[in-house]
Amino acid sequence: MTTIAAYADAPALAGTDLGWSEWLEVTQDRVNLFADATDDHQWIHVDPDRAASGPFGAPIAHGFLSLSLTVKFWSELFDLEGVTTKVNYGLDKVRFVSPVKVGARVRMNAVIAEVTEVAGGYQFAVDQTIEIEGGSKPAIVARGLYRFYA
């Protein structure tokens, strides 16, 4: 469920746990499209037959593909009304904890850790955890930085 807040209420949102996004299956088609977009065609990602005998027993998503899903998940979890511009400002402390196998389902939890005023708007520091359905460890933990301008 998306949390929708008013721009004026932004500073009070620090500490808010936004819950979990919907599950998303990571398909081989998605992995192949990402490989084409980034020119990263390493066999562990794009050759299911070879990857089956590799270290993970299956092809895995690129780490940066899994990380890029934070954009989709963030927009499912949060929206700030009354802004003119929304910007992905950056990331802090990114860790790729567990590989995401093709066919796995992932989702993200987000906690707004900090809200700070910046020129013309607010910056949100958001603790993000992408989990793998049935996994014992998360796929990714990161702090996303998002800016909202009035």
Side-chain angles (χ1 to χ4, degrees):
M1 175 176 249
T2 305
T3 297
I4 300 172
Y7 180 81
D9 297 332
L13 295 171
T16 302
D17 185 336
L18 300 172
W20 291 93
S21 69
E22 296 296 319
W23 288 105
L24 174 74
E25 181 180 352
V26 177
T27 65
Q28 188 66 56
D29 285 343
R30 184 181 294 266
V31 170
N32 292 345
L33 286 169
F34 191 85
D36 289 343
T38 61
D39 287 329
D40 181 355
H41 295 93
Q42 187 182 66
W43 64 268
I44 196 73
H45 307 301
V46 298
D47 186 340
D49 293 333
R50 185 172 177 193
S53 60
F56 305 106
I60 60 169
H62 304 74
F64 285 109
L65 166 57
S66 298
L67 181 62
S68 73
L69 295 174
T70 60
V71 175
K72 172 190 174 12
F73 294 144
W74 172 240
S75 66
E76 284 181 22
L77 293 172
F78 184 75
D79 194 21
L80 194 62
E81 294 181 327
V83 298
T84 61
T85 307
K86 303 171 185 180
V87 177
N88 296 317
Y89 186 70
L91 296 157
D92 285 340
K93 301 178 184 177
V94 176
R95 298 293 181 265
F96 300 101
V97 180
S98 298
V100 176
K101 293 181 182 180
V102 169
R105 292 188 342 145
V106 295
R107 66 179 181 172
M108 185 178 86
N109 173 258
V111 177
I112 300 172
E114 299 172 8
V115 178
T116 54
E117 194 167 352
V118 296
Y122 291 104
Q123 178 171 294
F124 285 58
V126 182
D127 292 333
Q128 303 169 128
T129 302
I130 294 183
E131 76 169 355
I132 304 166
E133 187 175 39
S136 60
K137 295 188 292 185
I140 295 173
V141 292
R143 178 166 280 195
L145 303 175
Y146 303 96
R147 288 194 172 178
F148 297 86
Y149 296 97

mmCIF file of all heavy atoms in Angstrom, residues 33-50:
data_model
loop_
_atom_site.group_PDB
_atom_site.id
_atom_site.type_symbol
_atom_site.label_atom_id
_atom_site.label_comp_id
_atom_site.label_asym_id
_atom_site.label_seq_id
_atom_site.Cartn_x
_atom_site.Cartn_y
_atom_site.Cartn_z
ATOM 1 N N LEU A 33 17.355 -8.374 -20.938
ATOM 2 C CA LEU A 33 17.184 -6.972 -21.319
ATOM 3 C C LEU A 33 18.192 -6.083 -20.594
ATOM 4 O O LEU A 33 18.762 -5.156 -21.185
ATOM 5 C CB LEU A 33 15.761 -6.501 -21.027
ATOM 6 C CG LEU A 33 14.685 -7.008 -21.982
ATOM 7 C CD1 LEU A 33 13.287 -6.700 -21.427
ATOM 8 C CD2 LEU A 33 14.865 -6.398 -23.363
ATOM 9 N N PHE A 34 18.415 -6.367 -19.319
ATOM 10 C CA PHE A 34 19.393 -5.590 -18.557
ATOM 11 C C PHE A 34 20.798 -5.825 -19.119
ATOM 12 O O PHE A 34 21.591 -4.882 -19.245
ATOM 13 C CB PHE A 34 19.326 -5.961 -17.073
ATOM 14 C CG PHE A 34 20.113 -5.034 -16.192
ATOM 15 C CD1 PHE A 34 19.555 -3.853 -15.737
ATOM 16 C CD2 PHE A 34 21.412 -5.342 -15.821
ATOM 17 C CE1 PHE A 34 20.280 -2.985 -14.930
ATOM 18 C CE2 PHE A 34 22.140 -4.487 -15.013
ATOM 19 C CZ PHE A 34 21.578 -3.306 -14.563
ATOM 20 N N ALA A 35 21.098 -7.069 -19.465
ATOM 21 C CA ALA A 35 22.404 -7.383 -20.060
ATOM 22 C C ALA A 35 22.603 -6.589 -21.347
ATOM 23 O O ALA A 35 23.679 -6.028 -21.593
ATOM 24 C CB ALA A 35 22.513 -8.878 -20.319
ATOM 25 N N ASP A 36 21.566 -6.526 -22.176
ATOM 26 C CA ASP A 36 21.656 -5.760 -23.420
ATOM 27 C C ASP A 36 21.835 -4.269 -23.140
ATOM 28 O O ASP A 36 22.623 -3.593 -23.813
ATOM 29 C CB ASP A 36 20.412 -5.977 -24.280
ATOM 30 C CG ASP A 36 20.351 -7.373 -24.884
ATOM 31 O OD1 ASP A 36 21.382 -8.077 -24.926
ATOM 32 O OD2 ASP A 36 19.233 -7.769 -25.322
ATOM 33 N N ALA A 37 21.127 -3.759 -22.161
ATOM 34 C CA ALA A 37 21.197 -2.325 -21.843
ATOM 35 C C ALA A 37 22.557 -1.922 -21.290
ATOM 36 O O ALA A 37 22.999 -0.786 -21.491
ATOM 37 C CB ALA A 37 20.102 -1.951 -20.851
ATOM 38 N N THR A 38 23.232 -2.841 -20.607
ATOM 39 C CA THR A 38 24.494 -2.506 -19.938
ATOM 40 C C THR A 38 25.713 -3.149 -20.585
ATOM 41 O O THR A 38 26.837 -2.925 -20.115
ATOM 42 C CB THR A 38 24.443 -2.943 -18.462
ATOM 43 O OG1 THR A 38 24.250 -4.366 -18.406
ATOM 44 C CG2 THR A 38 23.340 -2.215 -17.706
ATOM 45 N N ASP A 39 25.489 -3.937 -21.624
ATOM 46 C CA ASP A 39 26.572 -4.687 -22.280
ATOM 47 C C ASP A 39 27.305 -5.606 -21.307
ATOM 48 O O ASP A 39 28.510 -5.836 -21.434
ATOM 49 C CB ASP A 39 27.567 -3.749 -22.976
ATOM 50 C CG ASP A 39 26.993 -3.138 -24.236
ATOM 51 O OD1 ASP A 39 26.170 -3.800 -24.889
ATOM 52 O OD2 ASP A 39 27.368 -1.994 -24.556
ATOM 53 N N ASP A 40 26.586 -6.146 -20.347
ATOM 54 C CA ASP A 40 27.147 -7.119 -19.403
ATOM 55 C C ASP A 40 26.488 -8.466 -19.674
ATOM 56 O O ASP A 40 25.443 -8.783 -19.120
ATOM 57 C CB ASP A 40 26.899 -6.673 -17.960
ATOM 58 C CG ASP A 40 27.483 -7.637 -16.932
ATOM 59 O OD1 ASP A 40 28.001 -8.709 -17.317
ATOM 60 O OD2 ASP A 40 27.410 -7.310 -15.734
ATOM 61 N N HIS A 41 27.110 -9.249 -20.535
ATOM 62 C CA HIS A 41 26.559 -10.535 -20.952
ATOM 63 C C HIS A 41 27.309 -11.702 -20.321
ATOM 64 O O HIS A 41 27.459 -12.756 -20.940
ATOM 65 C CB HIS A 41 26.564 -10.638 -22.484
ATOM 66 C CG HIS A 41 25.659 -9.662 -23.134
ATOM 67 N ND1 HIS A 41 26.081 -8.424 -23.558
ATOM 68 C CD2 HIS A 41 24.335 -9.731 -23.407
ATOM 69 C CE1 HIS A 41 25.067 -7.771 -24.081
ATOM 70 N NE2 HIS A 41 23.983 -8.529 -23.993
ATOM 71 N N GLN A 42 27.764 -11.512 -19.088
ATOM 72 C CA GLN A 42 28.479 -12.597 -18.408
ATOM 73 C C GLN A 42 27.579 -13.830 -18.330
ATOM 74 O O GLN A 42 26.385 -13.732 -18.037
ATOM 75 C CB GLN A 42 28.903 -12.141 -17.011
ATOM 76 C CG GLN A 42 29.793 -13.144 -16.314
ATOM 77 C CD GLN A 42 30.159 -12.690 -14.927
ATOM 78 O OE1 GLN A 42 29.293 -12.596 -14.070
ATOM 79 N NE2 GLN A 42 31.443 -12.424 -14.715
ATOM 80 N N TRP A 43 28.156 -14.998 -18.554
ATOM 81 C CA TRP A 43 27.393 -16.243 -18.638
ATOM 82 C C TRP A 43 26.572 -16.529 -17.390
ATOM 83 O O TRP A 43 25.506 -17.119 -17.470
ATOM 84 C CB TRP A 43 28.318 -17.422 -18.950
ATOM 85 C CG TRP A 43 29.340 -17.702 -17.870
ATOM 86 C CD1 TRP A 43 30.609 -17.205 -17.801
ATOM 87 C CD2 TRP A 43 29.174 -18.539 -16.732
ATOM 88 N NE1 TRP A 43 31.242 -17.665 -16.673
ATOM 89 C CE2 TRP A 43 30.383 -18.503 -15.991
ATOM 90 C CE3 TRP A 43 28.127 -19.311 -16.247
ATOM 91 C CZ2 TRP A 43 30.571 -19.199 -14.811
ATOM 92 C CZ3 TRP A 43 28.323 -20.017 -15.060
ATOM 93 C CH2 TRP A 43 29.529 -19.952 -14.365
ATOM 94 N N ILE A 44 27.031 -16.093 -16.237
ATOM 95 C CA ILE A 44 26.295 -16.371 -14.984
ATOM 96 C C ILE A 44 24.904 -15.742 -15.011
ATOM 97 O O ILE A 44 24.008 -16.167 -14.291
ATOM 98 C CB ILE A 44 27.110 -15.906 -13.753
ATOM 99 C CG1 ILE A 44 26.568 -16.522 -12.466
ATOM 100 C CG2 ILE A 44 27.142 -14.392 -13.646
ATOM 101 C CD1 ILE A 44 26.856 -17.975 -12.295
ATOM 102 N N HIS A 45 24.727 -14.750 -15.890
ATOM 103 C CA HIS A 45 23.437 -14.069 -16.013
ATOM 104 C C HIS A 45 22.619 -14.550 -17.213
ATOM 105 O O HIS A 45 21.401 -14.695 -17.092
ATOM 106 C CB HIS A 45 23.640 -12.555 -16.155
ATOM 107 C CG HIS A 45 24.471 -11.944 -15.097
ATOM 108 N ND1 HIS A 45 24.148 -11.996 -13.756
ATOM 109 C CD2 HIS A 45 25.647 -11.253 -15.174
ATOM 110 C CE1 HIS A 45 25.082 -11.358 -13.057
ATOM 111 N NE2 HIS A 45 26.003 -10.901 -13.893
ATOM 112 N N VAL A 46 23.265 -14.771 -18.347
ATOM 113 C CA VAL A 46 22.524 -14.932 -19.604
ATOM 114 C C VAL A 46 22.594 -16.324 -20.226
ATOM 115 O O VAL A 46 21.944 -16.559 -21.254
ATOM 116 C CB VAL A 46 22.978 -13.885 -20.652
ATOM 117 C CG1 VAL A 46 22.697 -12.471 -20.143
ATOM 118 C CG2 VAL A 46 24.444 -14.063 -21.019
ATOM 119 N N ASP A 47 23.335 -17.238 -19.641
ATOM 120 C CA ASP A 47 23.445 -18.599 -20.192
ATOM 121 C C ASP A 47 22.903 -19.602 -19.169
ATOM 122 O O ASP A 47 23.652 -20.139 -18.347
ATOM 123 C CB ASP A 47 24.905 -18.905 -20.539
ATOM 124 C CG ASP A 47 25.088 -20.233 -21.250
ATOM 125 O OD1 ASP A 47 24.185 -21.101 -21.166
ATOM 126 O OD2 ASP A 47 26.147 -20.423 -21.879
ATOM 127 N N PRO A 48 21.581 -19.842 -19.197
ATOM 128 C CA PRO A 48 20.973 -20.718 -18.187
ATOM 129 C C PRO A 48 21.597 -22.117 -18.131
ATOM 130 O O PRO A 48 21.746 -22.671 -17.042
ATOM 131 C CB PRO A 48 19.502 -20.791 -18.604
ATOM 132 C CG PRO A 48 19.265 -19.527 -19.352
ATOM 133 C CD PRO A 48 20.565 -19.254 -20.076
ATOM 134 N N ASP A 49 21.970 -22.681 -19.281
ATOM 135 C CA ASP A 49 22.550 -24.029 -19.277
ATOM 136 C C ASP A 49 23.891 -24.048 -18.554
ATOM 137 O O ASP A 49 24.136 -24.900 -17.697
ATOM 138 C CB ASP A 49 22.705 -24.556 -20.708
ATOM 139 C CG ASP A 49 21.361 -24.787 -21.388
ATOM 140 O OD1 ASP A 49 20.363 -25.052 -20.672
ATOM 141 O OD2 ASP A 49 21.307 -24.680 -22.625
ATOM 142 N N ARG A 50 24.761 -23.123 -18.895
ATOM 143 C CA ARG A 50 26.063 -23.053 -18.228
ATOM 144 C C ARG A 50 25.915 -22.655 -16.762
ATOM 145 O O ARG A 50 26.585 -23.203 -15.887
ATOM 146 C CB ARG A 50 26.966 -22.071 -18.969
ATOM 147 C CG ARG A 50 28.369 -22.035 -18.424
ATOM 148 C CD ARG A 50 29.277 -21.192 -19.297
ATOM 149 N NE ARG A 50 30.603 -21.120 -18.708
ATOM 150 C CZ ARG A 50 31.538 -20.272 -19.078
ATOM 151 N NH1 ARG A 50 31.301 -19.411 -20.068
ATOM 152 N NH2 ARG A 50 32.705 -20.255 -18.477
#
